[in-house]
Amino acid sequence: MHVQQKFHQENNQIFSYEIKTNNIVPIKAKSIFENRLNEELKKLNKLANENVQPSHIIDISFLDYNMRNAGVRFAVGIFAGTDRIDTQIIVKDKASGKIVSKFIVQSKNNSAWGTSAGLIEGHADKIVKYLTDKNNN
């Protein structure tokens, strides 16, 4: 993770988000990512809904998305390249519109082990963990 502007976590923060895939992320992968993001934020009571308005808006932009074919990954391992996801996260205060945090999250897998879905879910987990874990801030 490359933090450009540190996020200061507080108990009352509720998030909504917008995902920009820049046409580099397949629909199925975006769905896996979004489902995991929703699941983790809901577990922590940090996701805005029809009854709870967000205090912060998260803009998630995919900068890089490269996944190897599972068969190729298994057959040739590291010689098949590296799975990689890079996203830029910009967190804005909803009331003022001011940017309160900016960071880049990177996830990689260059081994033959693991799945694309696992890497995608782990990437969403990193984002949620940074935004909600007071030990990170």
mmCIF file of all heavy atoms in Angstrom, residues 51-95:
data_model
loop_
_atom_site.group_PDB
_atom_site.id
_atom_site.type_symbol
_atom_site.label_atom_id
_atom_site.label_comp_id
_atom_site.label_asym_id
_atom_site.label_seq_id
_atom_site.Cartn_x
_atom_site.Cartn_y
_atom_site.Cartn_z
ATOM 1 N N ASN A 51 -31.298 3.754 5.052
ATOM 2 C CA ASN A 51 -31.586 4.357 6.355
ATOM 3 C C ASN A 51 -30.425 5.155 6.937
ATOM 4 O O ASN A 51 -30.623 5.945 7.851
ATOM 5 C CB ASN A 51 -31.979 3.268 7.361
ATOM 6 C CG ASN A 51 -33.225 2.522 6.935
ATOM 7 O OD1 ASN A 51 -34.173 3.118 6.440
ATOM 8 N ND2 ASN A 51 -33.211 1.212 7.093
ATOM 9 N N VAL A 52 -29.230 4.913 6.451
ATOM 10 C CA VAL A 52 -28.030 5.554 6.999
ATOM 11 C C VAL A 52 -27.250 6.224 5.858
ATOM 12 O O VAL A 52 -26.816 5.568 4.923
ATOM 13 C CB VAL A 52 -27.124 4.512 7.710
ATOM 14 C CG1 VAL A 52 -25.886 5.176 8.280
ATOM 15 C CG2 VAL A 52 -27.887 3.770 8.791
ATOM 16 N N GLN A 53 -27.103 7.522 5.981
ATOM 17 C CA GLN A 53 -26.385 8.290 4.964
ATOM 18 C C GLN A 53 -24.872 8.180 5.160
ATOM 19 O O GLN A 53 -24.406 8.083 6.291
ATOM 20 C CB GLN A 53 -26.797 9.764 5.022
ATOM 21 C CG GLN A 53 -28.232 10.003 4.610
ATOM 22 C CD GLN A 53 -28.472 9.600 3.172
ATOM 23 O OE1 GLN A 53 -27.760 10.007 2.272
ATOM 24 N NE2 GLN A 53 -29.467 8.751 2.969
ATOM 25 N N PRO A 54 -24.109 8.237 4.070
ATOM 26 C CA PRO A 54 -22.652 8.154 4.210
ATOM 27 C C PRO A 54 -22.054 9.444 4.740
ATOM 28 O O PRO A 54 -22.561 10.533 4.480
ATOM 29 C CB PRO A 54 -22.176 7.900 2.780
ATOM 30 C CG PRO A 54 -23.222 8.527 1.923
ATOM 31 C CD PRO A 54 -24.523 8.340 2.671
ATOM 32 N N SER A 55 -20.984 9.306 5.502
ATOM 33 C CA SER A 55 -20.204 10.469 5.913
ATOM 34 C C SER A 55 -19.045 10.676 4.939
ATOM 35 O O SER A 55 -18.513 11.773 4.825
ATOM 36 C CB SER A 55 -19.655 10.281 7.329
ATOM 37 O OG SER A 55 -18.812 9.137 7.391
ATOM 38 N N HIS A 56 -18.667 9.592 4.253
ATOM 39 C CA HIS A 56 -17.539 9.634 3.323
ATOM 40 C C HIS A 56 -17.867 8.873 2.038
ATOM 41 O O HIS A 56 -18.558 7.849 2.087
ATOM 42 C CB HIS A 56 -16.296 9.002 3.959
ATOM 43 C CG HIS A 56 -15.752 9.807 5.085
ATOM 44 N ND1 HIS A 56 -16.301 9.786 6.352
ATOM 45 C CD2 HIS A 56 -14.712 10.670 5.132
ATOM 46 C CE1 HIS A 56 -15.632 10.608 7.125
ATOM 47 N NE2 HIS A 56 -14.659 11.156 6.422
ATOM 48 N N ILE A 57 -17.355 9.383 0.937
ATOM 49 C CA ILE A 57 -17.513 8.749 -0.370
ATOM 50 C C ILE A 57 -16.141 8.216 -0.787
ATOM 51 O O ILE A 57 -15.148 8.949 -0.730
ATOM 52 C CB ILE A 57 -18.001 9.750 -1.440
ATOM 53 C CG1 ILE A 57 -19.228 10.534 -0.954
ATOM 54 C CG2 ILE A 57 -18.239 9.048 -2.767
ATOM 55 C CD1 ILE A 57 -20.459 9.720 -0.702
ATOM 56 N N ILE A 58 -16.101 6.952 -1.202
ATOM 57 C CA ILE A 58 -14.850 6.339 -1.637
ATOM 58 C C ILE A 58 -14.887 6.202 -3.154
ATOM 59 O O ILE A 58 -15.793 5.557 -3.697
ATOM 60 C CB ILE A 58 -14.663 4.936 -1.015
ATOM 61 C CG1 ILE A 58 -14.823 4.971 0.496
ATOM 62 C CG2 ILE A 58 -13.319 4.344 -1.422
ATOM 63 C CD1 ILE A 58 -14.981 3.584 1.109
ATOM 64 N N ASP A 59 -13.924 6.798 -3.829
ATOM 65 C CA ASP A 59 -13.746 6.606 -5.272
ATOM 66 C C ASP A 59 -12.661 5.567 -5.460
ATOM 67 O O ASP A 59 -11.515 5.769 -5.033
ATOM 68 C CB ASP A 59 -13.320 7.905 -5.964
ATOM 69 C CG ASP A 59 -14.441 8.931 -6.023
ATOM 70 O OD1 ASP A 59 -15.620 8.525 -6.042
ATOM 71 O OD2 ASP A 59 -14.132 10.128 -6.063
ATOM 72 N N ILE A 60 -13.011 4.449 -6.072
ATOM 73 C CA ILE A 60 -12.075 3.359 -6.310
ATOM 74 C C ILE A 60 -11.839 3.273 -7.809
ATOM 75 O O ILE A 60 -12.769 2.987 -8.568
ATOM 76 C CB ILE A 60 -12.637 2.018 -5.789
ATOM 77 C CG1 ILE A 60 -12.975 2.127 -4.297
ATOM 78 C CG2 ILE A 60 -11.666 0.877 -6.072
ATOM 79 C CD1 ILE A 60 -13.783 0.968 -3.758
ATOM 80 N N SER A 61 -10.604 3.537 -8.236
ATOM 81 C CA SER A 61 -10.257 3.478 -9.657
ATOM 82 C C SER A 61 -9.232 2.382 -9.895
ATOM 83 O O SER A 61 -8.161 2.384 -9.286
ATOM 84 C CB SER A 61 -9.664 4.812 -10.118
ATOM 85 O OG SER A 61 -10.620 5.835 -10.009
ATOM 86 N N PHE A 62 -9.578 1.454 -10.770
ATOM 87 C CA PHE A 62 -8.627 0.403 -11.138
ATOM 88 C C PHE A 62 -7.587 0.984 -12.081
ATOM 89 O O PHE A 62 -7.918 1.530 -13.128
ATOM 90 C CB PHE A 62 -9.350 -0.767 -11.803
ATOM 91 C CG PHE A 62 -10.005 -1.688 -10.819
ATOM 92 C CD1 PHE A 62 -11.232 -1.372 -10.263
ATOM 93 C CD2 PHE A 62 -9.383 -2.863 -10.443
ATOM 94 C CE1 PHE A 62 -11.838 -2.217 -9.350
ATOM 95 C CE2 PHE A 62 -9.978 -3.721 -9.525
ATOM 96 C CZ PHE A 62 -11.209 -3.392 -8.979
ATOM 97 N N LEU A 63 -6.331 0.880 -11.680
ATOM 98 C CA LEU A 63 -5.212 1.363 -12.488
ATOM 99 C C LEU A 63 -4.602 0.229 -13.315
ATOM 100 O O LEU A 63 -4.110 0.454 -14.406
ATOM 101 C CB LEU A 63 -4.138 1.961 -11.581
ATOM 102 C CG LEU A 63 -4.586 3.066 -10.636
ATOM 103 C CD1 LEU A 63 -3.452 3.461 -9.706
ATOM 104 C CD2 LEU A 63 -5.107 4.256 -11.415
ATOM 105 N N ASP A 64 -4.611 -0.984 -12.740
ATOM 106 C CA ASP A 64 -4.046 -2.145 -13.404
ATOM 107 C C ASP A 64 -4.822 -3.374 -12.974
ATOM 108 O O ASP A 64 -5.152 -3.524 -11.794
ATOM 109 C CB ASP A 64 -2.560 -2.307 -13.047
ATOM 110 C CG ASP A 64 -1.855 -3.361 -13.889
ATOM 111 O OD1 ASP A 64 -2.378 -3.754 -14.946
ATOM 112 O OD2 ASP A 64 -0.763 -3.790 -13.479
ATOM 113 N N TYR A 65 -5.129 -4.228 -13.923
ATOM 114 C CA TYR A 65 -5.798 -5.492 -13.639
ATOM 115 C C TYR A 65 -5.278 -6.514 -14.641
ATOM 116 O O TYR A 65 -5.497 -6.382 -15.843
ATOM 117 C CB TYR A 65 -7.317 -5.354 -13.766
ATOM 118 C CG TYR A 65 -8.032 -6.643 -13.465
ATOM 119 C CD1 TYR A 65 -8.390 -6.971 -12.162
ATOM 120 C CD2 TYR A 65 -8.326 -7.551 -14.478
ATOM 121 C CE1 TYR A 65 -9.025 -8.168 -11.874
ATOM 122 C CE2 TYR A 65 -8.960 -8.748 -14.193
ATOM 123 C CZ TYR A 65 -9.304 -9.047 -12.897
ATOM 124 O OH TYR A 65 -9.925 -10.238 -12.608
ATOM 125 N N ASN A 66 -4.550 -7.501 -14.136
ATOM 126 C CA ASN A 66 -4.001 -8.541 -15.005
ATOM 127 C C ASN A 66 -4.108 -9.877 -14.297
ATOM 128 O O ASN A 66 -3.484 -10.069 -13.252
ATOM 129 C CB ASN A 66 -2.537 -8.242 -15.342
ATOM 130 C CG ASN A 66 -1.966 -9.268 -16.283
ATOM 131 O OD1 ASN A 66 -2.629 -9.714 -17.211
ATOM 132 N ND2 ASN A 66 -0.727 -9.663 -16.044
ATOM 133 N N MET A 67 -4.910 -10.762 -14.835
ATOM 134 C CA MET A 67 -5.080 -12.100 -14.266
ATOM 135 C C MET A 67 -4.706 -13.149 -15.310
ATOM 136 O O MET A 67 -5.176 -13.095 -16.437
ATOM 137 C CB MET A 67 -6.529 -12.349 -13.839
ATOM 138 C CG MET A 67 -6.964 -11.553 -12.668
ATOM 139 S SD MET A 67 -6.144 -12.088 -11.159
ATOM 140 C CE MET A 67 -6.586 -10.720 -10.118
ATOM 141 N N ARG A 68 -3.886 -14.084 -14.874
ATOM 142 C CA ARG A 68 -3.510 -15.192 -15.748
ATOM 143 C C ARG A 68 -4.642 -16.215 -15.805
ATOM 144 O O ARG A 68 -5.398 -16.358 -14.853
ATOM 145 C CB ARG A 68 -2.252 -15.894 -15.210
ATOM 146 C CG ARG A 68 -1.054 -14.989 -15.134
ATOM 147 C CD ARG A 68 0.066 -15.627 -14.366
ATOM 148 N NE ARG A 68 -0.304 -15.662 -12.939
ATOM 149 C CZ ARG A 68 0.366 -16.321 -12.016
ATOM 150 N NH1 ARG A 68 1.437 -17.005 -12.313
ATOM 151 N NH2 ARG A 68 -0.029 -16.301 -10.769
ATOM 152 N N ASN A 69 -4.711 -16.921 -16.882
ATOM 153 C CA ASN A 69 -5.634 -18.033 -17.006
ATOM 154 C C ASN A 69 -5.253 -19.082 -15.969
ATOM 155 O O ASN A 69 -4.075 -19.392 -15.803
ATOM 156 C CB ASN A 69 -5.539 -18.594 -18.428
ATOM 157 C CG ASN A 69 -6.363 -19.839 -18.610
ATOM 158 O OD1 ASN A 69 -6.002 -20.914 -18.129
ATOM 159 N ND2 ASN A 69 -7.462 -19.684 -19.315
ATOM 160 N N ALA A 70 -6.234 -19.645 -15.253
ATOM 161 C CA ALA A 70 -5.954 -20.605 -14.180
ATOM 162 C C ALA A 70 -5.182 -21.822 -14.688
ATOM 163 O O ALA A 70 -4.271 -22.308 -14.016
ATOM 164 C CB ALA A 70 -7.253 -21.041 -13.525
ATOM 165 N N GLY A 71 -5.523 -22.322 -15.856
ATOM 166 C CA GLY A 71 -4.817 -23.476 -16.410
ATOM 167 C C GLY A 71 -3.372 -23.169 -16.723
ATOM 168 O O GLY A 71 -2.468 -23.957 -16.434
ATOM 169 N N VAL A 72 -3.128 -22.001 -17.290
ATOM 170 C CA VAL A 72 -1.767 -21.588 -17.607
ATOM 171 C C VAL A 72 -0.981 -21.371 -16.327
ATOM 172 O O VAL A 72 0.181 -21.775 -16.208
ATOM 173 C CB VAL A 72 -1.765 -20.309 -18.484
ATOM 174 C CG1 VAL A 72 -0.362 -19.764 -18.665
ATOM 175 C CG2 VAL A 72 -2.418 -20.582 -19.826
ATOM 176 N N ARG A 73 -1.618 -20.746 -15.331
ATOM 177 C CA ARG A 73 -0.960 -20.514 -14.039
ATOM 178 C C ARG A 73 -0.499 -21.839 -13.434
ATOM 179 O O ARG A 73 0.626 -21.974 -12.975
ATOM 180 C CB ARG A 73 -1.903 -19.807 -13.075
ATOM 181 C CG ARG A 73 -1.271 -19.579 -11.710
ATOM 182 C CD ARG A 73 -2.231 -19.059 -10.664
ATOM 183 N NE ARG A 73 -2.982 -17.921 -11.116
ATOM 184 C CZ ARG A 73 -4.283 -17.796 -10.916
ATOM 185 N NH1 ARG A 73 -4.967 -18.703 -10.287
ATOM 186 N NH2 ARG A 73 -4.906 -16.729 -11.341
ATOM 187 N N PHE A 74 -1.381 -22.827 -13.466
ATOM 188 C CA PHE A 74 -1.043 -24.123 -12.880
ATOM 189 C C PHE A 74 0.039 -24.832 -13.695
ATOM 190 O O PHE A 74 0.957 -25.417 -13.143
ATOM 191 C CB PHE A 74 -2.289 -25.004 -12.777
ATOM 192 C CG PHE A 74 -2.015 -26.324 -12.144
ATOM 193 C CD1 PHE A 74 -1.794 -26.426 -10.778
ATOM 194 C CD2 PHE A 74 -1.969 -27.471 -12.917
ATOM 195 C CE1 PHE A 74 -1.533 -27.646 -10.193
ATOM 196 C CE2 PHE A 74 -1.712 -28.701 -12.330
ATOM 197 C CZ PHE A 74 -1.495 -28.786 -10.971
ATOM 198 N N ALA A 75 -0.057 -24.749 -15.015
ATOM 199 C CA ALA A 75 0.866 -25.484 -15.889
ATOM 200 C C ALA A 75 2.281 -24.917 -15.868
ATOM 201 O O ALA A 75 3.252 -25.667 -15.840
ATOM 202 C CB ALA A 75 0.336 -25.502 -17.319
ATOM 203 N N VAL A 76 2.404 -23.599 -15.900
ATOM 204 C CA VAL A 76 3.749 -23.019 -16.008
ATOM 205 C C VAL A 76 4.128 -22.092 -14.859
ATOM 206 O O VAL A 76 5.216 -21.526 -14.861
ATOM 207 C CB VAL A 76 3.952 -22.307 -17.366
ATOM 208 C CG1 VAL A 76 3.895 -23.282 -18.501
ATOM 209 C CG2 VAL A 76 2.961 -21.189 -17.570
ATOM 210 N N GLY A 77 3.239 -21.931 -13.865
ATOM 211 C CA GLY A 77 3.581 -21.179 -12.655
ATOM 212 C C GLY A 77 4.077 -19.779 -12.926
ATOM 213 O O GLY A 77 3.460 -19.014 -13.658
ATOM 214 N N ILE A 78 5.236 -19.450 -12.358
ATOM 215 C CA ILE A 78 5.750 -18.083 -12.455
ATOM 216 C C ILE A 78 6.102 -17.689 -13.881
ATOM 217 O O ILE A 78 6.164 -16.509 -14.195
ATOM 218 C CB ILE A 78 6.965 -17.855 -11.530
ATOM 219 C CG1 ILE A 78 8.128 -18.755 -11.918
ATOM 220 C CG2 ILE A 78 6.590 -18.019 -10.087
ATOM 221 C CD1 ILE A 78 9.428 -18.412 -11.231
ATOM 222 N N PHE A 79 6.309 -18.660 -14.749
ATOM 223 C CA PHE A 79 6.631 -18.333 -16.141
ATOM 224 C C PHE A 79 5.421 -17.795 -16.892
ATOM 225 O O PHE A 79 5.554 -17.262 -17.980
ATOM 226 C CB PHE A 79 7.212 -19.554 -16.854
ATOM 227 C CG PHE A 79 8.491 -20.013 -16.222
ATOM 228 C CD1 PHE A 79 8.542 -21.207 -15.528
ATOM 229 C CD2 PHE A 79 9.632 -19.230 -16.283
ATOM 230 C CE1 PHE A 79 9.713 -21.621 -14.923
ATOM 231 C CE2 PHE A 79 10.810 -19.638 -15.681
ATOM 232 C CZ PHE A 79 10.860 -20.835 -14.994
ATOM 233 N N ALA A 80 4.250 -17.909 -16.283
ATOM 234 C CA ALA A 80 3.026 -17.389 -16.895
ATOM 235 C C ALA A 80 2.817 -15.913 -16.565
ATOM 236 O O ALA A 80 1.873 -15.306 -17.041
ATOM 237 C CB ALA A 80 1.818 -18.194 -16.419
ATOM 238 N N GLY A 81 3.705 -15.343 -15.771
ATOM 239 C CA GLY A 81 3.573 -13.941 -15.394
ATOM 240 C C GLY A 81 3.016 -13.790 -13.994
ATOM 241 O O GLY A 81 3.034 -14.720 -13.199
ATOM 242 N N THR A 82 2.492 -12.624 -13.710
ATOM 243 C CA THR A 82 2.011 -12.291 -12.370
ATOM 244 C C THR A 82 0.587 -11.771 -12.445
ATOM 245 O O THR A 82 0.269 -10.954 -13.303
ATOM 246 C CB THR A 82 2.912 -11.200 -11.747
ATOM 247 O OG1 THR A 82 4.244 -11.704 -11.676
ATOM 248 C CG2 THR A 82 2.445 -10.806 -10.368
ATOM 249 N N ASP A 83 -0.252 -12.267 -11.538
ATOM 250 C CA ASP A 83 -1.578 -11.671 -11.366
ATOM 251 C C ASP A 83 -1.365 -10.367 -10.606
ATOM 252 O O ASP A 83 -0.583 -10.318 -9.662
ATOM 253 C CB ASP A 83 -2.483 -12.581 -10.537
ATOM 254 C CG ASP A 83 -2.754 -13.916 -11.202
ATOM 255 O OD1 ASP A 83 -2.796 -13.964 -12.436
ATOM 256 O OD2 ASP A 83 -2.936 -14.905 -10.470
ATOM 257 N N ARG A 84 -2.079 -9.315 -11.013
ATOM 258 C CA ARG A 84 -1.843 -8.021 -10.372
ATOM 259 C C ARG A 84 -3.105 -7.166 -10.417
ATOM 260 O O ARG A 84 -3.781 -7.098 -11.434
ATOM 261 C CB ARG A 84 -0.706 -7.301 -11.085
ATOM 262 C CG ARG A 84 -0.372 -5.960 -10.491
ATOM 263 C CD ARG A 84 0.768 -5.325 -11.258
ATOM 264 N NE ARG A 84 1.003 -4.004 -10.749
ATOM 265 C CZ ARG A 84 2.190 -3.528 -10.469
ATOM 266 N NH1 ARG A 84 3.254 -4.273 -10.654
ATOM 267 N NH2 ARG A 84 2.320 -2.307 -10.005
ATOM 268 N N ILE A 85 -3.367 -6.526 -9.292
ATOM 269 C CA ILE A 85 -4.450 -5.544 -9.191
ATOM 270 C C ILE A 85 -3.882 -4.306 -8.511
ATOM 271 O O ILE A 85 -3.287 -4.396 -7.447
ATOM 272 C CB ILE A 85 -5.637 -6.069 -8.353
ATOM 273 C CG1 ILE A 85 -6.150 -7.402 -8.877
ATOM 274 C CG2 ILE A 85 -6.751 -5.027 -8.310
ATOM 275 C CD1 ILE A 85 -7.160 -8.061 -7.951
ATOM 276 N N ASP A 86 -4.076 -3.156 -9.124
ATOM 277 C CA ASP A 86 -3.711 -1.871 -8.523
ATOM 278 C C ASP A 86 -4.949 -0.981 -8.561
ATOM 279 O O ASP A 86 -5.573 -0.836 -9.613
ATOM 280 C CB ASP A 86 -2.609 -1.162 -9.311
ATOM 281 C CG ASP A 86 -1.259 -1.843 -9.221
ATOM 282 O OD1 ASP A 86 -1.065 -2.665 -8.318
ATOM 283 O OD2 ASP A 86 -0.409 -1.541 -10.064
ATOM 284 N N THR A 87 -5.279 -0.397 -7.422
ATOM 285 C CA THR A 87 -6.383 0.556 -7.375
ATOM 286 C C THR A 87 -5.945 1.817 -6.650
ATOM 287 O O THR A 87 -5.154 1.764 -5.710
ATOM 288 C CB THR A 87 -7.617 -0.013 -6.639
ATOM 289 O OG1 THR A 87 -7.227 -0.514 -5.365
ATOM 290 C CG2 THR A 87 -8.292 -1.113 -7.442
ATOM 291 N N GLN A 88 -6.470 2.932 -7.108
ATOM 292 C CA GLN A 88 -6.268 4.191 -6.399
ATOM 293 C C GLN A 88 -7.552 4.470 -5.635
ATOM 294 O O GLN A 88 -8.654 4.392 -6.198
ATOM 295 C CB GLN A 88 -5.980 5.335 -7.348
ATOM 296 C CG GLN A 88 -5.794 6.651 -6.602
ATOM 297 C CD GLN A 88 -5.439 7.792 -7.524
ATOM 298 O OE1 GLN A 88 -6.072 7.978 -8.541
ATOM 299 N NE2 GLN A 88 -4.424 8.537 -7.148
ATOM 300 N N ILE A 89 -7.399 4.783 -4.356
ATOM 301 C CA ILE A 89 -8.537 5.051 -3.484
ATOM 302 C C ILE A 89 -8.487 6.519 -3.080
ATOM 303 O O ILE A 89 -7.476 6.989 -2.552
ATOM 304 C CB ILE A 89 -8.489 4.178 -2.214
ATOM 305 C CG1 ILE A 89 -8.203 2.713 -2.532
ATOM 306 C CG2 ILE A 89 -9.766 4.360 -1.396
ATOM 307 C CD1 ILE A 89 -9.165 2.026 -3.442
ATOM 308 N N ILE A 90 -9.578 7.221 -3.332
ATOM 309 C CA ILE A 90 -9.709 8.610 -2.889
ATOM 310 C C ILE A 90 -10.932 8.670 -1.987
ATOM 311 O O ILE A 90 -12.031 8.274 -2.391
ATOM 312 C CB ILE A 90 -9.855 9.577 -4.076
ATOM 313 C CG1 ILE A 90 -8.590 9.536 -4.947
ATOM 314 C CG2 ILE A 90 -10.144 11.001 -3.585
ATOM 315 C CD1 ILE A 90 -8.678 10.348 -6.224
ATOM 316 N N VAL A 91 -10.730 9.125 -0.759
ATOM 317 C CA VAL A 91 -11.819 9.225 0.212
ATOM 318 C C VAL A 91 -12.153 10.702 0.380
ATOM 319 O O VAL A 91 -11.276 11.519 0.661
ATOM 320 C CB VAL A 91 -11.419 8.611 1.579
ATOM 321 C CG1 VAL A 91 -12.596 8.667 2.545
ATOM 322 C CG2 VAL A 91 -10.917 7.186 1.408
ATOM 323 N N LYS A 92 -13.444 11.009 0.194
ATOM 324 C CA LYS A 92 -13.897 12.396 0.319
ATOM 325 C C LYS A 92 -14.906 12.509 1.455
ATOM 326 O O LYS A 92 -15.732 11.627 1.659
ATOM 327 C CB LYS A 92 -14.583 12.847 -0.974
ATOM 328 C CG LYS A 92 -13.685 12.859 -2.179
ATOM 329 C CD LYS A 92 -14.474 13.237 -3.417
ATOM 330 C CE LYS A 92 -13.624 13.076 -4.668
ATOM 331 N NZ LYS A 92 -14.426 13.234 -5.873
ATOM 332 N N ASP A 93 -14.828 13.609 2.176
ATOM 333 C CA ASP A 93 -15.835 13.949 3.162
ATOM 334 C C ASP A 93 -17.093 14.344 2.388
ATOM 335 O O ASP A 93 -17.035 15.216 1.516
ATOM 336 C CB ASP A 93 -15.352 15.117 4.028
ATOM 337 C CG ASP A 93 -16.377 15.513 5.044
ATOM 338 O OD1 ASP A 93 -16.369 14.925 6.132
ATOM 339 O OD2 ASP A 93 -17.198 16.413 4.734
ATOM 340 N N LYS A 94 -18.200 13.676 2.674
ATOM 341 C CA LYS A 94 -19.408 13.934 1.892
ATOM 342 C C LYS A 94 -19.915 15.364 2.073
ATOM 343 O O LYS A 94 -20.326 16.005 1.112
ATOM 344 C CB LYS A 94 -20.523 12.956 2.244
ATOM 345 C CG LYS A 94 -21.733 13.150 1.342
ATOM 346 C CD LYS A 94 -22.765 12.087 1.514
ATOM 347 C CE LYS A 94 -23.784 12.170 0.418
ATOM 348 N NZ LYS A 94 -24.987 12.838 0.719
ATOM 349 N N ALA A 95 -19.869 15.870 3.287
ATOM 350 C CA ALA A 95 -20.407 17.209 3.562
ATOM 351 C C ALA A 95 -19.632 18.304 2.840
ATOM 352 O O ALA A 95 -20.220 19.195 2.238
ATOM 353 C CB ALA A 95 -20.425 17.464 5.057
#
